[in-house]
C-alpha cells in the first residue's frame, strides 16, 4: 500500500512539473520580451565541407547560440547546424554546433549590423598550420562573403592544439580591426582578442559558420585557396608590417600579453652579409638576396656557414633564427625582399609567402626523407619549390640521442649506442629501417632483445620519423651551382607566368606531380582544387628533376 502511494506521488509530481515546464516555456515564447528568430541556409559538397549563413547569431560566455520559436524549429536547427570548422585532414575535423535558445534569450540585446565569421584553428601554435590551415582560409571566407574591416570573428574551436608549445600565433590585425572573440585566456595574445564577461552577450545580424574546408593541401581539403587570395593576403600584410612598419607595434602588443614571441629579437639577431662594393658597383643587375632560415634543435643544417661563405661574394645573405620567436609580423618584415630561401623542411618555410614575386624556395632534406607538404601552398601561390636531398655519405649527420628517443617512441629498442649509431648513420649504405629490421631478425640478438619482434612497418615508421628530424648537411657541390643557375633564371623568367614555368618543368620538384595536377593544371579532382582559375584545365607537365 505504501509503495503504491509512493509511486502515485512520484507520477503526480512528474506530471505537475511537466505541465508547469510546458506552461513556463509557452509563456516565455509567446508573451515575454522576445528577440528576432534565427534563419539560415547552408551549402557544401559534403557533410564535412558544409558552410552555413545564419541570420541573427549571438554569443555569450558559454558559446554561440541561435534563436528558435518552436520545438520543431529547434530540432531542425540542431540537426542542420553541425559544421566542421577545421581546414585540415579528416582526422582533425571538429564539428561545431551552436546552442539553440528561445526568443527571450536575445530580447533587449542590440544587434550589430555586421557579419560575424565563426572559424576554427588547426594547431594554432604551429606557424605554418596556423597560417595555411587557419588564418588564410578565414581570410578567403571574409573576402568572398563580404567581410568588412570592422567585421568581428569568433574562434569557436581548435584542433591539435599544444599549449606547451606557447600561445597561438594567430594575428589578423593587418586586414581586420574587429574583435576576435575567443573562449579561453590562453588565446588572448593581442588587443584584438576578446573573452566575454559572464553576463555579456553580443548579437550579430549575420554569421558565416565555417570555411568549407578550404586550403591548398588538395589531398584532404575540399576547396582551394586561389592564387589571387594569396596575393591579396601578402600585399595587405606587407603594406601593414613593412610599408607602415607596424611590425614593431605588433611586438609591443605581444609583450603586453606575455606571449612567447619576440619580434624585436627575431629582427635584431638576423645576420646580414653583403658582397664587396666592387661587385656591387660592377653589376648591371640588382644584387639578389638569399635568406637562410636554419633550426637550432631538430633538422639543423650543420654546414650553414659553408653555404654562407660560398655565396656571400655575389649575393646579399640573410641568416634568420626562427627560434627567436618570429611571428607573422616579423616574418613578413624579414622576407619581403628575399629572392631565394634556403631552409630545412619545417614550419619556418611557410614564411616564403612574403617573399618577392618570382621567388624560389630550396628545401634541404636529410638522406631518406623528403616531404611534399609545401609543394601544395607554394604551387597555389606561385613560388618555385625544390627539394634537395643529398644521397652522399658525407652529407649524413647523426644525432644518437635523438635517434634513441625517436626509435623508442615507435617501440624500437636497441641495446646500446653503438647499435643505434650504426642504424642511424647509414652504415654500409644501409637505411635505418633496413638496419633495425635486420638486427631484430638476427637470432643471435634474441636474448638482448628479450625475444621482442617488430614488423617492417614499425621499423619504417621509426626510421622515417628520425630522418625527418635528423641534422643534415647541404651538398655544396650541387647546391652552389644550382643557386647560380637559379639566380640567372630569376631575370630570364621574370616576365613569364607561373603556368609557363610549370610547362617548362621549372616550378616544382621533385615529387610534385599531384600538387601540379590539382593546384595548377586541374587535371586531378575534376579541377575542384585549381588555384589558377584563368588558366585552362589540361594534363600536367612533370615535376622538375635535377
Amino acid at each position: 500500500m505504501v509503495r503504491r502511494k509512493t509511486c502515485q506521488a512520484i507520477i503526480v509530481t512528474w506530471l505537475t512539473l511537466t505541465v508547469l515546464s510546458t506552461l513556463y516555456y509557452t509563456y516565455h515564447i509567446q508573451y515575454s520580451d522576445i528577440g528576432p528568430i534565427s534563419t539560415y541556409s547552408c551549402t557544401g559538397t559534403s557533410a564535412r565541407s558544409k558552410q552555413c549563413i545564419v541570420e541573427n547569431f549571438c554569443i555569450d560566455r558559454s558559446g554561440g547560440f541561435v534563436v528558435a520559436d518552436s520545438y520543431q524549429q529547434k530540432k531542425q536547427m540542431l540537426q542542420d547546424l553541425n559544421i566542421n570548422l577545421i581546414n585540415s585532414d579528416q582526422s582533425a575535423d571538429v564539428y561545431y554546433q551552436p546552442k539553440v535558445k528561445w526568443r527571450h534569450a536575445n530580447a533587449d540585446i542590440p544587434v550589430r549590423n555586421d557579419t560575424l565569421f565563426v572559424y576554427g584553428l588547426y594547431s594554432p601554435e604551429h606557424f605554418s598550420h596556423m597560417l595555411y590551415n587557419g588564418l588564410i582560409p578565414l581570410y578567403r571566407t571574409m573576402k568572398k562573403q563580404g567581410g568588412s574591416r570592422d567585421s568581428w570573428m569568433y574562434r569557436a574551436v581548435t584542433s591539435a592544439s599544444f599549449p606547451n608549445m606557447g600561445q597561438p600565433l594567430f594575428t589578423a590585425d593587418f586586414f581586420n580591426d574587429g574583435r576576435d572573440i575567443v573562449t579561453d585566456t590562453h588565446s588572448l595574445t593581442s588587443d584584438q582578442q576578446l573573452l566575454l564577461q559572464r553576463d555579456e552577450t553580443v548579437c550579430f545580424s549575420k554569421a558565416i559558420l565555417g570555411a568549407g574546408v578550404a586550403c591548398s593541401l588538395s589531398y584532404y581539403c575540399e576547396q582551394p585557396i586561389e592564387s589571387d587570395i594569396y596575393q591579396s593576403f601578402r600585399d595587405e600584410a606587407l603594406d601593414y608590417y613593412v610599408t607602415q612598419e607596424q611590425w614593431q607595434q605588433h611586438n609591443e602588443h605581444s609583450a603586453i600579453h606575455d606571449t612567447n614571441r619576440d619580434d624585436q629579437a627575431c629582427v635584431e639577431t638576423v645576420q646580414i652579409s653583403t658582397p664587396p662594393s666592387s661587385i656591387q658597383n660592377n653589376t648591371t643587375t640588382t644584387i639578389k638576396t638569399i635568406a637562410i632560415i636554419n633550426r637550432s634543435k631538430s633538422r639543423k643544417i650543420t654546414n650553414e656557414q659553408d653555404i654562407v661563405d660560398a655565396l656571400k661574394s655575389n649575393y646579399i645573405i640573410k641568416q634568420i633564427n626562427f627560434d627567436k620567436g618570429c611571428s607573422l609580423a616579423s616574418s613578413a618584415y624579414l622576407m619581403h625582399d628575399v629572392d631565394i630561401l634556403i631552409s630545412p623542411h619545417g614550419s619556418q618555410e611557410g614564411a616564403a609567402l612574403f617573399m618577392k614575386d618570382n621567388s624560389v624556395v630550396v628545401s634541404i632534406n636529410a638522406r631518406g626523407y623528403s616531404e611534399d607538404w609545401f609543394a601544395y601552398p607554394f604551387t597555389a601561390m606561385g613560388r618555385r619549390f625544390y627539394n634537395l636531398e643529398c644521397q652522399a655519405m658525407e652529407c649524413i649527420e647523426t644525432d644518437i640521442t635523438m635517434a634513441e628517443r625517436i626509435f623508442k617512441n615507435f617501440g624500437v629498442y636497441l641495446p646500446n649506442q653503438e647499435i643505434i649509431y650504426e642504424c642511424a648513420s647509414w652504415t654500409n649504405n644501409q637505411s635505418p629501417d633496413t638496419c633495425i629490421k635486420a638486427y631484430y631478425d638476427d637470432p643471435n640478438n634474441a636474448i638482448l632483445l628479450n625475444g621482442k619482434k617488430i614488423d617492417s612497418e614499425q621499423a619504417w615508421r621509426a626510421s622515417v620519423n628520425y630522418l625527418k628530424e635528423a641534422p643534415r648537411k647541404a651538398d655544396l657541390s650541387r647546391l652552389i651551382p644550382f643557386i647560380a643557375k637559379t639566380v640567372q633564371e630569376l631575370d630570364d623568367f621574370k616576365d613569364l607566368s607561373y603556368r609557363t614555368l610549370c610547362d617548362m618543368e621549372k616550378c616544382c620538384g621533385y615529387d610534385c606531380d599531384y600538387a601540379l595536377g590539382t593546384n595548377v593544371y586541374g587535371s586531378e579532382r575534376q579541377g575542384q582544387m585549381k588555384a589558377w582559375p584563368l588558366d585552362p584545365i589540361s594534363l600536367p607537365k612533370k615535376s622538375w628533376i635535377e
Side-chain angles (χ1 to χ4, degrees):
M1 187 70 176
V2 173
R3 181 177 297 177
R4 183 164 62 181
K5 287 184 177 181
T6 301
C7 291
Q8 288 175 341
I10 291 172
I11 293 172
V12 170
T13 302
W14 178 78
L15 288 172
T16 302
L17 290 173
T18 300
V19 171
L20 290 175
S21 177
T22 302
L23 290 173
Y24 173 82
Y25 283 110
T26 300
Y27 171 81
H28 275 278
I29 292 171
Q30 296 183 355
Y31 301 109
S32 68
D33 292 336
I34 56 177
I37 62 170
S38 300
T39 59
Y40 60 92
S41 61
C42 299
T43 58
T45 58
S46 66
R48 72 183 295 255
S49 66
K50 182 190 293 186
Q51 184 182 55
C52 295
I53 301 175
V54 178
E55 306 287 340
N56 296 311
F57 185 93
C58 299
I59 309 172
D60 60 20
R61 184 63 181 269
S62 65
F65 66 88
V66 291
V67 178
D69 65 352
S70 70
Y71 286 103
Q72 180 60 36
Q73 186 182 43
K74 178 178 181 179
K75 180 180 178 181
Q76 193 66 47
M77 286 178 167
L78 290 172
Q79 177 178 321
D80 295 341
L81 297 178
N82 191 24
I83 302 103
N84 171 39
L85 298 184
I86 301 299
N87 306 284
S88 186
D89 63 278
Q90 201 158 350
S91 65
D93 288 352
V94 177
Y95 285 81
Y96 170 70
Q97 187 176 55
K99 296 178 180 179
V100 181
K101 297 187 178 184
W102 301 118
R103 295 179 69 180
H104 67 276
N106 64 337
D108 300 323
I109 298 174
V111 177
R112 290 182 59 88
N113 187 27
D114 201 351
T115 302
L116 172 74
F117 291 86
V118 182
Y119 71 98
L121 285 183
Y122 174 75
S123 195
E125 301 85 10
H126 183 284
F127 182 81
S128 284
H129 284 314
M130 177 283 298
L131 184 60
Y132 294 105
N133 297 104
L135 180 58
I136 293 176
L138 171 63
Y139 179 87
R140 174 186 187 267
T141 302
M142 295 180 76
K143 290 296 182 184
K144 290 185 176 293
Q145 295 290 347
S148 70
R149 182 92 195 178
D150 297 322
S151 292
W152 283 33
M153 301 163 286
Y154 172 42
R155 191 183 310 170
V157 301
T158 59
S159 178
S161 178
F162 298 97
N164 61 308
M165 292 175 60
Q167 289 184 285
L169 294 168
F170 179 93
T171 181
D173 54 0
F174 64 96
F175 68 85
N176 181 266
D177 294 324
R179 303 307 298 271
D180 177 25
I181 300 175
V182 296
T183 59
D184 56 71
T185 56
H186 177 69
S187 300
L188 294 171
T189 54
S190 75
D191 292 345
Q192 195 167 29
Q193 278 75 49
L194 171 67
L195 184 63
L196 295 177
Q197 301 298 315
R198 296 195 180 279
D199 58 350
E200 188 176 5
T201 303
V202 186
C203 292
F204 299 83
S205 59
K206 182 190 289 188
I208 310 296
L209 277 61
V213 193
C215 77
S216 294
L217 283 298
S218 50
Y219 50 86
Y220 57 57
C221 275
E222 303 285 335
Q223 295 188 64
I225 304 295
E226 297 81 358
S227 57
D228 63 321
I229 293 294
Y230 280 117
Q231 188 67 45
S232 174
F233 184 95
R234 171 183 174 270
D235 290 347
E236 289 199 61
L238 295 188
D239 178 67
Y240 187 76
Y241 294 128
V242 181
T243 304
Q244 300 180 41
E245 296 189 344
Q246 291 294 330
W247 70 269
Q248 292 177 310
Q249 177 181 323
H250 182 88
N251 182 57
E252 293 169 3
H253 289 174
S254 297
I256 292 171
H257 291 274
D258 195 27
T259 69
N260 64 324
R261 302 188 301 272
D262 189 345
D263 293 291
Q264 198 71 35
C266 175
V267 171
E268 290 181 350
T269 57
V270 171
Q271 300 179 51
I272 300 178
S273 304
T274 58
S277 56
S278 58
I279 299 292
Q280 298 184 52
N281 294 334
N282 291 333
T283 183
T284 58
T285 59
T286 303
I287 299 291
K288 298 299 188 284
T289 298
I290 299 174
I292 302 174
I293 303 180
N294 207 351
R295 295 168 65 127
S296 61
K297 298 176 183 176
S298 62
R299 311 180 200 178
K300 182 177 181 178
I301 302 174
T302 58
N303 61 341
E304 175 185 359
Q305 192 56 48
D306 293 336
I307 300 174
V308 174
D309 292 341
L311 296 174
K312 66 183 181 181
S313 295
N314 297 302
Y315 315 110
I316 298 169
I317 308 297
K318 283 186 177 182
Q319 292 173 265
I320 301 171
N321 187 346
F322 219 73
D323 295 333
K324 287 295 183 181
C326 303
S327 71
L328 187 146
S330 51
S331 297
Y333 180 77
L334 291 172
M335 296 299 293
H336 76 279
D337 61 351
V338 172
D339 297 285
I340 298 174
L341 170 63
I342 300 171
S343 176
H345 170 80
S347 178
Q348 71 286 343
E349 281 186 301
L353 170 60
F354 305 111
M355 295 169 67
K356 289 180 179 178
D357 291 330
N358 190 35
S359 53
V360 178
V361 181
V362 181
S363 186
I364 305 298
N365 299 310
R367 181 181 181 182
Y369 185 89
S370 286
E371 188 167 328
D372 64 351
W373 198 95
F374 282 104
Y376 291 86
F378 289 167
T379 53
M381 73 177 69
R383 295 286 173 273
R384 294 168 63 195
F385 175 62
Y386 300 106
N387 270 313
L388 292 188
E389 177 185 326
C390 182
Q391 298 293 328
M393 287 297 294
E394 56 264 27
C395 291
I396 295 170
E397 298 276 40
T398 305
D399 186 326
I400 299 176
T401 302
M402 177 189 291
E404 182 177 23
R405 173 175 52 80
I406 293 176
F407 289 171
K408 285 182 177 178
N409 287 344
F410 289 87
V412 173
Y413 297 91
L414 299 176
N416 57 61
Q417 292 197 340
E418 182 180 347
I419 301 300
I420 295 169
Y421 178 82
E422 180 179 331
C423 287
S425 62
W426 292 78
T427 300
N428 298 323
N429 217 27
Q430 195 175 49
S431 66
D433 58 314
T434 303
C435 175
I436 290 169
K437 191 68 171 67
Y439 188 84
Y440 268 79
D441 289 346
D442 187 342
N444 294 322
N445 299 324
I447 295 176
L448 285 172
L449 293 170
N450 293 321
K452 291 180 180 178
K453 295 289 185 181
I454 61 171
D455 57 25
S456 297
E457 174 73 11
Q458 188 176 356
W460 177 82
R461 289 194 176 280
S463 171
V464 77
N465 277 275
Y466 166 68
L467 295 175
K468 178 179 181 179
E469 304 298 332
R472 72 284 314 265
K473 283 183 178 178
D475 184 351
L476 299 186
S477 65
R478 295 168 61 210
L479 177 64
I480 303 308
F482 178 81
I483 294 296
K485 183 179 180 181
T486 302
V487 166
Q488 180 61 51
E489 290 174 345
L490 291 176
D491 293 325
D492 294 343
F493 296 166
K494 64 181 179 181
D495 296 323
L496 300 182
S497 69
Y498 191 71
R499 176 67 170 263
T500 300
L501 294 177
C502 294
D503 289 343
M504 296 166 61
E505 299 181 4
K506 283 284 189 178
C507 69
C508 190
Y510 63 97
D511 196 25
C512 292
D513 290 344
Y514 193 70
L516 293 171
T518 52
N519 293 0
V520 178
Y521 290 94
S523 58
E524 301 282 353
R525 295 191 61 178
Q526 296 79 49
Q528 175 184 343
M529 297 298 294
K530 192 162 165 285
W532 302 84
L534 298 181
D535 292 334
I537 293 177
S538 69
L539 292 176
K541 298 293 183 179
K542 296 295 183 181
S543 296
W544 165 86
I545 299 176
E546 189 177 8

